[in-house]
Amino acid sequence: MKTIYAARRVAMATALLGATMLTAVPAFAQDAQTTTPADVPAETPVVSTPTPTVATPANPSQTTAADPQSQPEATEQPGADIVVTGFRQSYADAIRSKKNEIAITDGISSDGLGRFPDLNVGEALQRVPGVQINREAEGRNATINLRGLPGEYARLTINGVAFAEPVLAEAAPLGAFNADIFSAIVIDKSPLANAQSGGLSGNVDLQIAPALSRKEGGFVKAALEFNQLGDRFAPGATVGYNHLFSDSFAIFGVLAYKKENFRRDTLQFNSYSAFSAAQAQANASTLGAYYPRSAACPSCTGSTTTAGVLYNSQLRQYSRINPGDLYTGAAGAEWKPNDRTRIGVTGFYTDRRLPKTTQYLSIVGNNDVSTLTARSQPIALDDGRYVVTDIDFSNAADPRASTRRLGIVQRAWGINGKAEYSDDVWRLSTVLTASKARNESAELSLDFDRLQTTSGNGGSGTLRTGAGNLNDFFYSLSPDPLISSAVPTWYWGGVADPTQYYNSPTAAGRTNRLQLTGTESYVTTEVLAYQGDVERSFTNSVLTGIQAGFRFEHNDFRSEGYRISAFGIQTQNINGSFLQQSPTADDFFGGKAGTYTTNWQTSRFQYAIDQLQPVTVFPGGALSPQGFNIRYNDNNYSLYNFDNTTDLAIGYGQLKYSFDIGNIRIRGNGGLRYEYARNTIDALNRVSLTGTIGSPADFRTVTYENKYGKLLPSFIVVADLSDKLLLRGAAYRTYVRPQPRQFTPVTIVGNPVNGVYSLTLGNPDLKPYDSTSLDLSLEWYNRPNGIISVAGFQKRITGLIATISDPRQLCPPNATALGLGTLTVNGDRCESSLVYTGGAVPTPFLVAASGFVNQDSPITVRGLEFNLQQTLDFLPGALSHLGGGFNYAFTDISGKTASGAQATLPGVSRHNANIIGYYETDDYGLRLVYNVRSKYDLASAGTFTGAARQVRSRGQLDLSASYNVSETVSLSFDAYNLTNAIRVEYEGDPRLIRRADYDGRTFTVTARATF
């Protein structure tokens, strides 16, 4: 008797490519052209047995290979041959499903060990063609780009239905979800009329298999993660159970816990400035050829250039530690009263708590008052600028020991109730959704400074940036310790300087400074929705089906935001023990950053805060949730305290067709979706100013209303050119509503700080942006378990929301209505007719303006995706256990911004590739995945606030290995970033390095048992 146990083969084989791109797409409903949102892919391995003795799903189209408990289990029968093919058959079924499907879709599934063999969902999704992970997202928030567009352009759904996402101002952090509760993740790249709108780049659907699609039994899993940077351990565990009371009723539950204990180290080359003429004179032999002769620099010649030379004017050594807990669960029940009716409910809950994320920073800068000695010759950059990379310095500009506590909460829950009736002709379904999410970010910063003085502050050092080569980096500081908290008496800076205390009441006597400030952001989102769908199928007709539906959706986005002041803290309790050496100083950057300084002071944060509280309430004010005085005059209060509500009424209809032209079968879908939206914003407008700190009485609520309708056509055609060759084409239109925290309808002028007014330009007429997309895909199914495909796409985006860059808008000539007088553009400065007298000499007030606008010029994103997946079971002997794949995505962005500059989109690489190889047998397996992406741009800070940056090309190698101890017990080992890759930002030229992030290697050991 030939016996291959399904549990062992599926657990091992799918572990190898489990989180690799699966070309399967959902075979959702009763024909290949119907997509029912709450269902999941049919990717179940084939189990061939004469007399099956276990329950199988009542509706095979709802079975998913992704969930470890959804696999039919083969039970050995006396005298019967059992032939169970594991991964290879599952892979062949996945490819067959894609071949029969209409939509252009890719996805991933969890492996047979009940996991995505990646650190999080975002890391796993990067294996899919057209997906790029954003590693600049700190704390493993794992946001992604899809098809050349940033993460907020994609629509995130659960079982095909919109839910409340735990967002602040960007895309939903995929790190907020434990992947163990999901069965699969499907990326719909060409949404049909019945799909949820809002995914300009596509829809990312997190799928939880329904109860009747899961087999009887349970599993338990234990894992231990080891982060090499800082030697930090993080345990985790998952337990799940599915119970089939009968073929018609079942329940399931999954509960997952993961400890988070992750650290990232960063070198921030925060700013570059030009040597002053006086500093050039002091370094005339090195710098004189780059400066014009002047009274300040009589030795200068300007023989090479007169534009000057840059040096790094602020360096930050920075470590971030993210300790916390992630609790995630899912549960559901499903009842099939008869063969035609299903009623089910599925719910999820996730709660990510990082209350003590801590950031340790050493910040040292230099300026025109510093004494600088150039120790290297200027380097000519690609853009014509020059930079000195090696300097000695003294009288540094206010060296700072900064410690920041960032409390993070990312919480969401949702429940979907679904009922469906179907027969040979009709299908009717309805879904009721209720969901709520919360995102909290409460940052508190405690800083101690050694102030710069005209006579010198005694702080000195040496800095060598390495010109982008971190092995050549060198940094030293003296004296040691450079910063101290041992100050006898602290004096508050007053209402004009409310976040700071000094060691002297007079400016002339100040040598030490204490700053306490923070930003608190809280967002609650709610989604309530009801939708219904009806479909009529036809046989022996070109028209194979008509489908229509409606949806009513209520979205509420409630935001709170505060900046705090230092008034009222218990400064008499401050002592010399507030500061200590940074706990990350001894192993900073894993030793991969040349020579760094260990002269690095940080606060004993919790001890310090306990000593400084409780605070005295400022007269007429109130305390923030963290217990500090709110700065009502700060723009954060006006910008981020609002309620944004959107009600949607949606209807759609689509026709399905199929016919033959010669030997070519043509099938497809054409539809139309209409969405009517009513948007209401209740925002704050400041009508007075009580003192200079402000109070809630200074504001009144202003209501803005906006209504719009969107007509969204879609058309998809599939041509079966042969049994192995298939051509797909799609055209569709979609749109994205503005993210509520990205703009404000109210224009806000902040109180001036050191001669600078901050101006936020309101735009109550901001509209959604639209996209018209064209897709084309050619797929060759060269073998039963192989595919070679190439896909191209184009997205033309109109009305894109972008930061204002036009100086005429950022610096309008007449700003008297805003209390800013008349304004003038002077170089890259916006100067007011008002005069600032707080400096050494009177100077014009500066205006730093920002805002958002719908861009007039369209942007076109084009891309090409290639995918190859093969198993090599046709080879002889041991070679037959080999397999793997390769995928590559190319993205090009064209168009002009409102200012006429070349359009760019942040975070998008032109090239992205994955190389996957595996070897698997019945008992063990090994998978290697190498991901590489080319350089990409980061968002520009705008005309008046700084330059754009690029991120250097980066590759990462990951490994997964598994071993089946028995039929019910398996072990696995995963290793991430074996290449020990570093993420590096630069400005224009790689030698002008701006930032380097190091996460180190991570290893995970997992044990799993089924019962």
mmCIF file with all atom_site columns, all heavy atoms in Angstrom, residues 945-964:
data_model
loop_
_atom_site.group_PDB
_atom_site.id
_atom_site.type_symbol
_atom_site.label_atom_id
_atom_site.label_alt_id
_atom_site.label_comp_id
_atom_site.label_asym_id
_atom_site.label_entity_id
_atom_site.label_seq_id
_atom_site.pdbx_PDB_ins_code
_atom_site.Cartn_x
_atom_site.Cartn_y
_atom_site.Cartn_z
_atom_site.occupancy
_atom_site.B_iso_or_equiv
_atom_site.pdbx_formal_charge
_atom_site.auth_seq_id
_atom_site.auth_comp_id
_atom_site.auth_asym_id
_atom_site.auth_atom_id
_atom_site.pdbx_PDB_model_num
ATOM 1   N N   . THR A 1 945 ? 11.035 74.199 2.872  1.00 0.00 ? 945 THR A N   1
ATOM 2   C CA  . THR A 1 945 ? 11.357 73.418 4.066  1.00 0.00 ? 945 THR A CA  1
ATOM 3   C C   . THR A 1 945 ? 12.381 72.319 3.859  1.00 0.00 ? 945 THR A C   1
ATOM 4   O O   . THR A 1 945 ? 12.665 71.590 4.798  1.00 0.00 ? 945 THR A O   1
ATOM 5   C CB  . THR A 1 945 ? 10.080 72.774 4.635  1.00 0.00 ? 945 THR A CB  1
ATOM 6   O OG1 . THR A 1 945 ? 9.411  72.058 3.588  1.00 0.00 ? 945 THR A OG1 1
ATOM 7   C CG2 . THR A 1 945 ? 9.145  73.822 5.198  1.00 0.00 ? 945 THR A CG2 1
ATOM 8   N N   . GLY A 1 946 ? 12.956 72.145 2.652  1.00 0.00 ? 946 GLY A N   1
ATOM 9   C CA  . GLY A 1 946 ? 14.008 71.152 2.557  1.00 0.00 ? 946 GLY A CA  1
ATOM 10  C C   . GLY A 1 946 ? 13.987 70.379 1.259  1.00 0.00 ? 946 GLY A C   1
ATOM 11  O O   . GLY A 1 946 ? 13.088 70.490 0.453  1.00 0.00 ? 946 GLY A O   1
ATOM 12  N N   . ALA A 1 947 ? 15.028 69.569 1.057  1.00 0.00 ? 947 ALA A N   1
ATOM 13  C CA  . ALA A 1 947 ? 15.216 68.856 -0.197 1.00 0.00 ? 947 ALA A CA  1
ATOM 14  C C   . ALA A 1 947 ? 14.660 67.448 -0.133 1.00 0.00 ? 947 ALA A C   1
ATOM 15  O O   . ALA A 1 947 ? 14.489 66.871 0.935  1.00 0.00 ? 947 ALA A O   1
ATOM 16  C CB  . ALA A 1 947 ? 16.707 68.801 -0.523 1.00 0.00 ? 947 ALA A CB  1
ATOM 17  N N   . ALA A 1 948 ? 14.377 66.904 -1.330 1.00 0.00 ? 948 ALA A N   1
ATOM 18  C CA  . ALA A 1 948 ? 13.938 65.519 -1.427 1.00 0.00 ? 948 ALA A CA  1
ATOM 19  C C   . ALA A 1 948 ? 15.112 64.583 -1.191 1.00 0.00 ? 948 ALA A C   1
ATOM 20  O O   . ALA A 1 948 ? 16.274 64.960 -1.321 1.00 0.00 ? 948 ALA A O   1
ATOM 21  C CB  . ALA A 1 948 ? 13.319 65.261 -2.796 1.00 0.00 ? 948 ALA A CB  1
ATOM 22  N N   . ARG A 1 949 ? 14.793 63.326 -0.876 1.00 0.00 ? 949 ARG A N   1
ATOM 23  C CA  . ARG A 1 949 ? 15.831 62.335 -0.640 1.00 0.00 ? 949 ARG A CA  1
ATOM 24  C C   . ARG A 1 949 ? 15.519 61.081 -1.451 1.00 0.00 ? 949 ARG A C   1
ATOM 25  O O   . ARG A 1 949 ? 14.400 60.851 -1.873 1.00 0.00 ? 949 ARG A O   1
ATOM 26  C CB  . ARG A 1 949 ? 15.912 61.973 0.850  1.00 0.00 ? 949 ARG A CB  1
ATOM 27  C CG  . ARG A 1 949 ? 16.174 63.153 1.767  1.00 0.00 ? 949 ARG A CG  1
ATOM 28  C CD  . ARG A 1 949 ? 16.239 62.691 3.207  1.00 0.00 ? 949 ARG A CD  1
ATOM 29  N NE  . ARG A 1 949 ? 16.328 63.828 4.125  1.00 0.00 ? 949 ARG A NE  1
ATOM 30  C CZ  . ARG A 1 949 ? 16.403 63.702 5.446  1.00 0.00 ? 949 ARG A CZ  1
ATOM 31  N NH1 . ARG A 1 949 ? 16.407 62.511 5.997  1.00 0.00 ? 949 ARG A NH1 1
ATOM 32  N NH2 . ARG A 1 949 ? 16.479 64.773 6.215  1.00 0.00 ? 949 ARG A NH2 1
ATOM 33  N N   . GLN A 1 950 ? 16.564 60.265 -1.603 1.00 0.00 ? 950 GLN A N   1
ATOM 34  C CA  . GLN A 1 950 ? 16.415 58.972 -2.250 1.00 0.00 ? 950 GLN A CA  1
ATOM 35  C C   . GLN A 1 950 ? 16.877 57.886 -1.279 1.00 0.00 ? 950 GLN A C   1
ATOM 36  O O   . GLN A 1 950 ? 17.649 58.148 -0.356 1.00 0.00 ? 950 GLN A O   1
ATOM 37  C CB  . GLN A 1 950 ? 17.250 58.905 -3.531 1.00 0.00 ? 950 GLN A CB  1
ATOM 38  C CG  . GLN A 1 950 ? 16.841 59.891 -4.616 1.00 0.00 ? 950 GLN A CG  1
ATOM 39  C CD  . GLN A 1 950 ? 17.317 61.307 -4.349 1.00 0.00 ? 950 GLN A CD  1
ATOM 40  O OE1 . GLN A 1 950 ? 18.438 61.520 -3.893 1.00 0.00 ? 950 GLN A OE1 1
ATOM 41  N NE2 . GLN A 1 950 ? 16.457 62.289 -4.599 1.00 0.00 ? 950 GLN A NE2 1
ATOM 42  N N   . VAL A 1 951 ? 16.387 56.666 -1.513 1.00 0.00 ? 951 VAL A N   1
ATOM 43  C CA  . VAL A 1 951 ? 16.812 55.513 -0.727 1.00 0.00 ? 951 VAL A CA  1
ATOM 44  C C   . VAL A 1 951 ? 17.606 54.590 -1.637 1.00 0.00 ? 951 VAL A C   1
ATOM 45  O O   . VAL A 1 951 ? 17.171 54.270 -2.759 1.00 0.00 ? 951 VAL A O   1
ATOM 46  C CB  . VAL A 1 951 ? 15.613 54.763 -0.117 1.00 0.00 ? 951 VAL A CB  1
ATOM 47  C CG1 . VAL A 1 951 ? 16.089 53.519 0.637  1.00 0.00 ? 951 VAL A CG1 1
ATOM 48  C CG2 . VAL A 1 951 ? 14.846 55.689 0.825  1.00 0.00 ? 951 VAL A CG2 1
ATOM 49  N N   . ARG A 1 952 ? 18.759 54.182 -1.183 1.00 0.00 ? 952 ARG A N   1
ATOM 50  C CA  . ARG A 1 952 ? 19.675 53.369 -1.981 1.00 0.00 ? 952 ARG A CA  1
ATOM 51  C C   . ARG A 1 952 ? 19.094 51.986 -2.244 1.00 0.00 ? 952 ARG A C   1
ATOM 52  O O   . ARG A 1 952 ? 18.319 51.446 -1.441 1.00 0.00 ? 952 ARG A O   1
ATOM 53  C CB  . ARG A 1 952 ? 21.009 53.252 -1.247 1.00 0.00 ? 952 ARG A CB  1
ATOM 54  C CG  . ARG A 1 952 ? 22.168 52.769 -2.101 1.00 0.00 ? 952 ARG A CG  1
ATOM 55  C CD  . ARG A 1 952 ? 23.476 52.961 -1.361 1.00 0.00 ? 952 ARG A CD  1
ATOM 56  N NE  . ARG A 1 952 ? 23.583 52.090 -0.191 1.00 0.00 ? 952 ARG A NE  1
ATOM 57  C CZ  . ARG A 1 952 ? 24.571 52.184 0.719  1.00 0.00 ? 952 ARG A CZ  1
ATOM 58  N NH1 . ARG A 1 952 ? 25.501 53.116 0.573  1.00 0.00 ? 952 ARG A NH1 1
ATOM 59  N NH2 . ARG A 1 952 ? 24.614 51.364 1.747  1.00 0.00 ? 952 ARG A NH2 1
ATOM 60  N N   . SER A 1 953 ? 19.448 51.397 -3.363 1.00 0.00 ? 953 SER A N   1
ATOM 61  C CA  . SER A 1 953 ? 19.037 50.033 -3.681 1.00 0.00 ? 953 SER A CA  1
ATOM 62  C C   . SER A 1 953 ? 19.422 49.086 -2.541 1.00 0.00 ? 953 SER A C   1
ATOM 63  O O   . SER A 1 953 ? 20.486 49.229 -1.929 1.00 0.00 ? 953 SER A O   1
ATOM 64  C CB  . SER A 1 953 ? 19.702 49.592 -4.985 1.00 0.00 ? 953 SER A CB  1
ATOM 65  O OG  . SER A 1 953 ? 19.416 48.239 -5.259 1.00 0.00 ? 953 SER A OG  1
ATOM 66  N N   . ARG A 1 954 ? 18.558 48.118 -2.287 1.00 0.00 ? 954 ARG A N   1
ATOM 67  C CA  . ARG A 1 954 ? 18.772 47.225 -1.149 1.00 0.00 ? 954 ARG A CA  1
ATOM 68  C C   . ARG A 1 954 ? 18.272 45.825 -1.487 1.00 0.00 ? 954 ARG A C   1
ATOM 69  O O   . ARG A 1 954 ? 17.206 45.658 -2.082 1.00 0.00 ? 954 ARG A O   1
ATOM 70  C CB  . ARG A 1 954 ? 18.037 47.734 0.087  1.00 0.00 ? 954 ARG A CB  1
ATOM 71  C CG  . ARG A 1 954 ? 18.221 46.903 1.350  1.00 0.00 ? 954 ARG A CG  1
ATOM 72  C CD  . ARG A 1 954 ? 17.365 47.464 2.467  1.00 0.00 ? 954 ARG A CD  1
ATOM 73  N NE  . ARG A 1 954 ? 17.557 46.778 3.736  1.00 0.00 ? 954 ARG A NE  1
ATOM 74  C CZ  . ARG A 1 954 ? 16.939 45.637 4.081  1.00 0.00 ? 954 ARG A CZ  1
ATOM 75  N NH1 . ARG A 1 954 ? 16.100 45.067 3.229  1.00 0.00 ? 954 ARG A NH1 1
ATOM 76  N NH2 . ARG A 1 954 ? 17.160 45.087 5.262  1.00 0.00 ? 954 ARG A NH2 1
ATOM 77  N N   . GLY A 1 955 ? 19.033 44.807 -1.098 1.00 0.00 ? 955 GLY A N   1
ATOM 78  C CA  . GLY A 1 955 ? 18.625 43.416 -1.259 1.00 0.00 ? 955 GLY A CA  1
ATOM 79  C C   . GLY A 1 955 ? 18.641 42.695 0.073  1.00 0.00 ? 955 GLY A C   1
ATOM 80  O O   . GLY A 1 955 ? 19.438 43.016 0.960  1.00 0.00 ? 955 GLY A O   1
ATOM 81  N N   . GLN A 1 956 ? 17.752 41.705 0.223  1.00 0.00 ? 956 GLN A N   1
ATOM 82  C CA  . GLN A 1 956 ? 17.665 40.963 1.479  1.00 0.00 ? 956 GLN A CA  1
ATOM 83  C C   . GLN A 1 956 ? 17.402 39.492 1.187  1.00 0.00 ? 956 GLN A C   1
ATOM 84  O O   . GLN A 1 956 ? 16.550 39.148 0.370  1.00 0.00 ? 956 GLN A O   1
ATOM 85  C CB  . GLN A 1 956 ? 16.539 41.524 2.349  1.00 0.00 ? 956 GLN A CB  1
ATOM 86  C CG  . GLN A 1 956 ? 16.314 40.752 3.640  1.00 0.00 ? 956 GLN A CG  1
ATOM 87  C CD  . GLN A 1 956 ? 15.361 41.453 4.581  1.00 0.00 ? 956 GLN A CD  1
ATOM 88  O OE1 . GLN A 1 956 ? 15.444 42.663 4.792  1.00 0.00 ? 956 GLN A OE1 1
ATOM 89  N NE2 . GLN A 1 956 ? 14.428 40.703 5.173  1.00 0.00 ? 956 GLN A NE2 1
ATOM 90  N N   . LEU A 1 957 ? 18.135 38.623 1.876  1.00 0.00 ? 957 LEU A N   1
ATOM 91  C CA  . LEU A 1 957 ? 17.983 37.176 1.730  1.00 0.00 ? 957 LEU A CA  1
ATOM 92  C C   . LEU A 1 957 ? 17.318 36.606 2.977  1.00 0.00 ? 957 LEU A C   1
ATOM 93  O O   . LEU A 1 957 ? 17.763 36.856 4.093  1.00 0.00 ? 957 LEU A O   1
ATOM 94  C CB  . LEU A 1 957 ? 19.350 36.506 1.525  1.00 0.00 ? 957 LEU A CB  1
ATOM 95  C CG  . LEU A 1 957 ? 19.335 34.982 1.389  1.00 0.00 ? 957 LEU A CG  1
ATOM 96  C CD1 . LEU A 1 957 ? 18.630 34.562 0.107  1.00 0.00 ? 957 LEU A CD1 1
ATOM 97  C CD2 . LEU A 1 957 ? 20.758 34.424 1.422  1.00 0.00 ? 957 LEU A CD2 1
ATOM 98  N N   . ASP A 1 958 ? 16.237 35.832 2.775  1.00 0.00 ? 958 ASP A N   1
ATOM 99  C CA  . ASP A 1 958 ? 15.517 35.173 3.868  1.00 0.00 ? 958 ASP A CA  1
ATOM 100 C C   . ASP A 1 958 ? 15.524 33.668 3.641  1.00 0.00 ? 958 ASP A C   1
ATOM 101 O O   . ASP A 1 958 ? 15.569 33.184 2.502  1.00 0.00 ? 958 ASP A O   1
ATOM 102 C CB  . ASP A 1 958 ? 14.072 35.667 3.950  1.00 0.00 ? 958 ASP A CB  1
ATOM 103 C CG  . ASP A 1 958 ? 13.978 37.162 4.194  1.00 0.00 ? 958 ASP A CG  1
ATOM 104 O OD1 . ASP A 1 958 ? 14.923 37.725 4.770  1.00 0.00 ? 958 ASP A OD1 1
ATOM 105 O OD2 . ASP A 1 958 ? 12.969 37.763 3.794  1.00 0.00 ? 958 ASP A OD2 1
ATOM 106 N N   . LEU A 1 959 ? 15.431 32.923 4.743  1.00 0.00 ? 959 LEU A N   1
ATOM 107 C CA  . LEU A 1 959 ? 15.470 31.456 4.685  1.00 0.00 ? 959 LEU A CA  1
ATOM 108 C C   . LEU A 1 959 ? 14.342 30.881 5.529  1.00 0.00 ? 959 LEU A C   1
ATOM 109 O O   . LEU A 1 959 ? 14.036 31.406 6.611  1.00 0.00 ? 959 LEU A O   1
ATOM 110 C CB  . LEU A 1 959 ? 16.818 30.946 5.189  1.00 0.00 ? 959 LEU A CB  1
ATOM 111 C CG  . LEU A 1 959 ? 17.028 29.440 5.349  1.00 0.00 ? 959 LEU A CG  1
ATOM 112 C CD1 . LEU A 1 959 ? 18.488 29.083 5.060  1.00 0.00 ? 959 LEU A CD1 1
ATOM 113 C CD2 . LEU A 1 959 ? 16.673 28.959 6.772  1.00 0.00 ? 959 LEU A CD2 1
ATOM 114 N N   . SER A 1 960 ? 13.734 29.791 5.049  1.00 0.00 ? 960 SER A N   1
ATOM 115 C CA  . SER A 1 960 ? 12.751 29.027 5.825  1.00 0.00 ? 960 SER A CA  1
ATOM 116 C C   . SER A 1 960 ? 13.077 27.548 5.713  1.00 0.00 ? 960 SER A C   1
ATOM 117 O O   . SER A 1 960 ? 13.367 27.054 4.616  1.00 0.00 ? 960 SER A O   1
ATOM 118 C CB  . SER A 1 960 ? 11.325 29.271 5.309  1.00 0.00 ? 960 SER A CB  1
ATOM 119 O OG  . SER A 1 960 ? 10.926 30.598 5.502  1.00 0.00 ? 960 SER A OG  1
ATOM 120 N N   . ALA A 1 961 ? 13.034 26.845 6.838  1.00 0.00 ? 961 ALA A N   1
ATOM 121 C CA  . ALA A 1 961 ? 13.270 25.401 6.854  1.00 0.00 ? 961 ALA A CA  1
ATOM 122 C C   . ALA A 1 961 ? 12.233 24.739 7.735  1.00 0.00 ? 961 ALA A C   1
ATOM 123 O O   . ALA A 1 961 ? 11.799 25.313 8.739  1.00 0.00 ? 961 ALA A O   1
ATOM 124 C CB  . ALA A 1 961 ? 14.676 25.097 7.361  1.00 0.00 ? 961 ALA A CB  1
ATOM 125 N N   . SER A 1 962 ? 11.823 23.529 7.369  1.00 0.00 ? 962 SER A N   1
ATOM 126 C CA  . SER A 1 962 ? 10.799 22.814 8.129  1.00 0.00 ? 962 SER A CA  1
ATOM 127 C C   . SER A 1 962 ? 11.152 21.336 8.212  1.00 0.00 ? 962 SER A C   1
ATOM 128 O O   . SER A 1 962 ? 11.804 20.776 7.325  1.00 0.00 ? 962 SER A O   1
ATOM 129 C CB  . SER A 1 962 ? 9.419  22.968 7.474  1.00 0.00 ? 962 SER A CB  1
ATOM 130 O OG  . SER A 1 962 ? 9.026  24.312 7.437  1.00 0.00 ? 962 SER A OG  1
ATOM 131 N N   . TYR A 1 963 ? 10.684 20.715 9.296  1.00 0.00 ? 963 TYR A N   1
ATOM 132 C CA  . TYR A 1 963 ? 10.894 19.285 9.489  1.00 0.00 ? 963 TYR A CA  1
ATOM 133 C C   . TYR A 1 963 ? 9.676  18.696 10.186 1.00 0.00 ? 963 TYR A C   1
ATOM 134 O O   . TYR A 1 963 ? 9.194  19.240 11.186 1.00 0.00 ? 963 TYR A O   1
ATOM 135 C CB  . TYR A 1 963 ? 12.142 19.026 10.338 1.00 0.00 ? 963 TYR A CB  1
ATOM 136 C CG  . TYR A 1 963 ? 12.345 17.570 10.679 1.00 0.00 ? 963 TYR A CG  1
ATOM 137 C CD1 . TYR A 1 963 ? 12.698 16.656 9.696  1.00 0.00 ? 963 TYR A CD1 1
ATOM 138 C CD2 . TYR A 1 963 ? 12.182 17.121 11.978 1.00 0.00 ? 963 TYR A CD2 1
ATOM 139 C CE1 . TYR A 1 963 ? 12.872 15.318 9.991  1.00 0.00 ? 963 TYR A CE1 1
ATOM 140 C CE2 . TYR A 1 963 ? 12.369 15.782 12.295 1.00 0.00 ? 963 TYR A CE2 1
ATOM 141 C CZ  . TYR A 1 963 ? 12.708 14.877 11.299 1.00 0.00 ? 963 TYR A CZ  1
ATOM 142 O OH  . TYR A 1 963 ? 12.872 13.561 11.597 1.00 0.00 ? 963 TYR A OH  1
ATOM 143 N N   . ASN A 1 964 ? 9.157  17.611 9.632  1.00 0.00 ? 964 ASN A N   1
ATOM 144 C CA  . ASN A 1 964 ? 8.025  16.914 10.217 1.00 0.00 ? 964 ASN A CA  1
ATOM 145 C C   . ASN A 1 964 ? 8.525  15.850 11.188 1.00 0.00 ? 964 ASN A C   1
ATOM 146 O O   . ASN A 1 964 ? 9.094  14.828 10.777 1.00 0.00 ? 964 ASN A O   1
ATOM 147 C CB  . ASN A 1 964 ? 7.174  16.264 9.135  1.00 0.00 ? 964 ASN A CB  1
ATOM 148 C CG  . ASN A 1 964 ? 6.419  17.289 8.317  1.00 0.00 ? 964 ASN A CG  1
ATOM 149 O OD1 . ASN A 1 964 ? 5.855  18.219 8.863  1.00 0.00 ? 964 ASN A OD1 1
ATOM 150 N ND2 . ASN A 1 964 ? 6.436  17.120 7.003  1.00 0.00 ? 964 ASN A ND2 1
#
